[in-house]
Every structure is written in C-alpha cells, then in structure tokens.
Amino acid sequence: MRPFIECWAATRGHLREITSSDIDTALEPLRGHRRYNAITALRSLFRFAKRDGLTFADPTAHLRGGRGAGRTMLPMTAEQIRAVQQVAATPAQRLAIALAAVHAARPGAIRELTLDDIDLPSRRISIAGHQQPLGELTRNALLAWLDYRRATWPDTANRHVLLSRKSALGTGPVSASYLADYLGRHQRGISLEHIRRDRILHEALATGADPLHLALVFNIDHTNAMAYAAAARNLSAAQPDRRCHVPARNRHESTPSTRVGADSGCYGK
C-alpha cells in the first residue's frame, strides 16, 4: 500500500478524497498477481476506513477480481472450442477472436488497434506496442474485415481497426461493452480474455513451460509468465496427454489455427 499512499499524499489530504478514478489510475500499470494483490490490499484499506467512519464511500466497490488470483488455470474444453467456432460468424468476430487466439491480445489492445499498427506487405502487426509476425489466420481475418469496413464506412475518419455504427462517427475505439456483447459472451460464457489465457497456456505446454519464451512472445511480465509456466508444468505432470509438441518454426503461427479451427488440438482431445 505504501506506494499508493505516498503518491496520493502529494495531492490529497485525506483518504475520503480518493476517488474510484484514482484507484483505477493506480492499478492501470499492474498485471497478474501484482494487480490481484493490490486490489485485495486496497479493498481491505477502504473497507476498514469506511467501517470506522474515516471515509463516506468505498472507492474500491467497483473493482472485480483480487481473490481469484489463486485459481487453477485450465485449458479450454472441446465444448468451449466449438462454442468459439459458432460465435465467430461475422468478419469482426473472426478478427477479434483471431487476435486473442493467435496473438494473445487483450480486449483493450484489440479495441485500441489502429490501421497504423498493421503492415500487410511485411506481414507484421503491432499490438500494444509489441511487434509480432502476422500469421495467415489473422491476416485472412483482417483482410475480410477491412473489406467489410471499407464497404460499410467508406468515409469514416476513424483510424481504429474495429468500428461500430457509433464509433465510425467519431475517432475513438469501440466500447468495451460492445466488444464483449458482440461476441455473445453473456449467451455462451465466452470472453476474449478466456481465449487469450488459453492461447498463452497452450504455448507454455507446447514449448516446455519456458517463462522467458512466454514473456518475449506475448510481452507479459515475469510474474505472469512464471504463473503460466507453472500451470503448464502442473498440467503436464497430472495429465501427460495434455502435452503438445509443435515444430519451433511454426509455434507462433500454426498452433492457434489448430486450437480455434478444429477440435484436433491437444486441448480438444
């Protein structure tokens, strides 16, 4: 808690002056277990403060997560993979799912992706500032969506890749709720974050649970990389048939197409 308190003390005189926006700003750079631990600590502080009359409201009441940090990571089931296939019916859905399944892109990074982040001739894509090869699955989904985008909103000034009827009139990204609802998350129990985590876990299983490899490929911090590597080792030890062996030259591009395109991936067995 000390870094948060010291930061707020520079501009605030009392805990009751801390807002939910201040909480979100403090948590924004944190990922993985560091974020979960921070959420737990912040909740504890402000619940104590409210209970003892030091604050009138709890600025952490909107937070989700924190206590789920210890949940066991498990690969997607064959049923969940089939549900993803059924959801991916439109060009926008196929692109969003490809970005999560191939590049382990976070929903926020998918929303913020712009046309300037894509280099089709060089087959490169920059996601959240991290350059990656543009595999065939993502490239095909991207080309199909761009054709639809040009035909539907030929005069839009918005440079974001994904557009909606509302965002096409401005310059900002699509909303988080639009992206989640459009994928049918509430109807099928699927989220892009779930697909993203499954992608990283599959890579960990396929590459000998090497945390350094995961950190470099997916641009995740060392805490997250070690958590995925540990989960992969636990799965491999408990269920040897979960192991996948993918040729090194194809690991980053071909593995996800097997996962999302058919039930023949190792998780679907």
Side-chain angles (χ1 to χ4, degrees), residues 229-252:
R233 284 193 294 269
N234 291 338
L235 282 169
S236 296
Q239 298 173 319
D241 62 319
R242 292 258 187 214
R243 292 193 185 100
C244 291
H245 303 282
V246 182
R249 68 179 184 278
N250 292 327
R251 280 172 183 158
H252 189 65

Side-chain angles (χ1 to χ4, degrees), residues 33 69-75 197 200-215 220-239 242-243 267:
H33 286 275
R71 289 177 297 181
T72 301
M73 281 185 270
L74 294 173
R197 287 195 294 263
I200 302 175
L201 183 56
H202 180 69
E203 185 77 10
L205 285 164
T207 56
D210 180 0
L212 179 58
H213 173 81
L214 298 178
I220 59 178
D221 62 41
H222 69 281
T223 303
N224 268 319
M226 288 190 292
Y228 280 106
R233 284 193 294 269
N234 291 338
L235 282 169
S236 296
Q239 298 173 319
R242 292 258 187 214
R243 292 193 185 100
Y267 299 154

Side-chain angles (χ1 to χ4, degrees), residues 140-197:
N140 291 340
L142 180 60
L143 290 174
W145 165 249
L146 291 178
D147 286 342
Y148 177 86
R149 185 185 188 277
R150 280 190 295 268
T152 308
W153 301 288
D155 301 318
T156 183
N158 197 322
R159 298 290 295 171
H160 288 87
V161 173
L162 284 182
L163 293 180
S164 65
R165 283 181 294 179
K166 183 176 180 180
S167 70
L169 301 176
T171 58
V174 297
S175 67
S177 60
Y178 167 84
L179 191 60
D181 293 341
Y182 190 58
L183 285 171
R185 175 190 63 184
H186 301 298
Q187 290 76 23
R188 300 178 184 274
I190 299 167
S191 71
L192 288 173
E193 184 61 27
H194 190 173
I195 297 171
R196 170 187 171 273
R197 287 195 294 263

Side-chain angles (χ1 to χ4, degrees), residues 29-48:
L30 303 182
R31 295 289 184 268
H33 286 275
R34 291 182 61 201
R35 180 180 177 87
Y36 287 127
N37 291 339
I39 289 175
T40 301
L42 286 167
R43 280 174 170 166
S44 178
L45 171 68
F46 283 99
R47 284 173 180 171
F48 169 85

